[in-house]
Amino acid sequence: FQGWLFETFGRTPDMFRQVYRELDVGGTNALTRRAFVHGAKVLGYPCGEEATSSMYALLDRNFDGEVSQRDFLKVREFNSDEVLRNMAAVKQWVDDKLGGVDASYTKFLERERAVQNSNVLPKIASFDAFRKVFAFFGFNKEMPNVDLKVVFLFMTQASGGKHAAGFLTLGQWALLKGMSSRPLTGNPARLRRVLECNYGGVEQAFQ
């Protein structure tokens, strides 16, 4: 989606604002998923509705079903190598500090139970519980440049299928197990090559 926007309309912030205005026909500065998908199709985006909808989910950073112009401008900043590097760093940190992917998800659920003030352990974890676990164990101080929300959003979309906005399932989180090689951390080019060799590409690896 980013590449198509760059090629078709350009890379400047002003051009992205113009594209947003074309999508946001009503001028609400609160673009819905339906309007986003329809507008992208009208503008000539060649991929299907599923791909467009996934892009929308990555932009809906507040999980409220609305994408503002400020949210949309994040497309300009998206860097797949950075996302892969951050995911590898998160995987290493989770292994070192939280006992691994499965153990960390249990901590998310325990925190979610506290958030909900429930006696029953929930089956899925919200972003609120997710970020609080990372904050409690010092992730933000150790890795202040990693955007956890982008990692969270990417993981929820990478598994395909239906998604509950703002929530992460164990199956979605378990995809992080693929980021298991320490030498790859901090080396997005090498990580990309591994994904290309094993899966045919970055996009295919997360389908």
Side-chain angles (χ1 to χ4, degrees), residues 109-110 112-113 116 118 120-125:
L109 295 182
E110 291 170 347
E112 183 65 31
R113 178 167 58 186
Q116 296 181 11
S118 171
V120 180
L121 192 69
K123 294 184 178 180
I124 59 175

Side-chain angles (χ1 to χ4, degrees), residues 8-62:
T8 306
F9 301 101
R11 297 171 177 258
T12 68
D14 286 342
M15 289 305 300
F16 269 72
R17 293 187 185 97
Q18 179 60 38
V19 171
Y20 182 85
R21 288 192 289 270
E22 293 290 334
L23 295 171
D24 185 23
V25 177
T28 62
N29 196 38
L31 198 60
T32 65
R33 184 186 298 265
R34 183 176 181 179
F36 182 84
V37 172
H38 174 73
K41 184 177 181 180
V42 170
L43 290 177
Y45 183 53
C47 297
E49 292 186 4
E50 183 176 351
T52 311
S53 184
S54 292
M55 188 67 237
Y56 180 89
L58 289 173
L59 295 173
D60 183 15
R61 292 175 61 90
N62 294 324

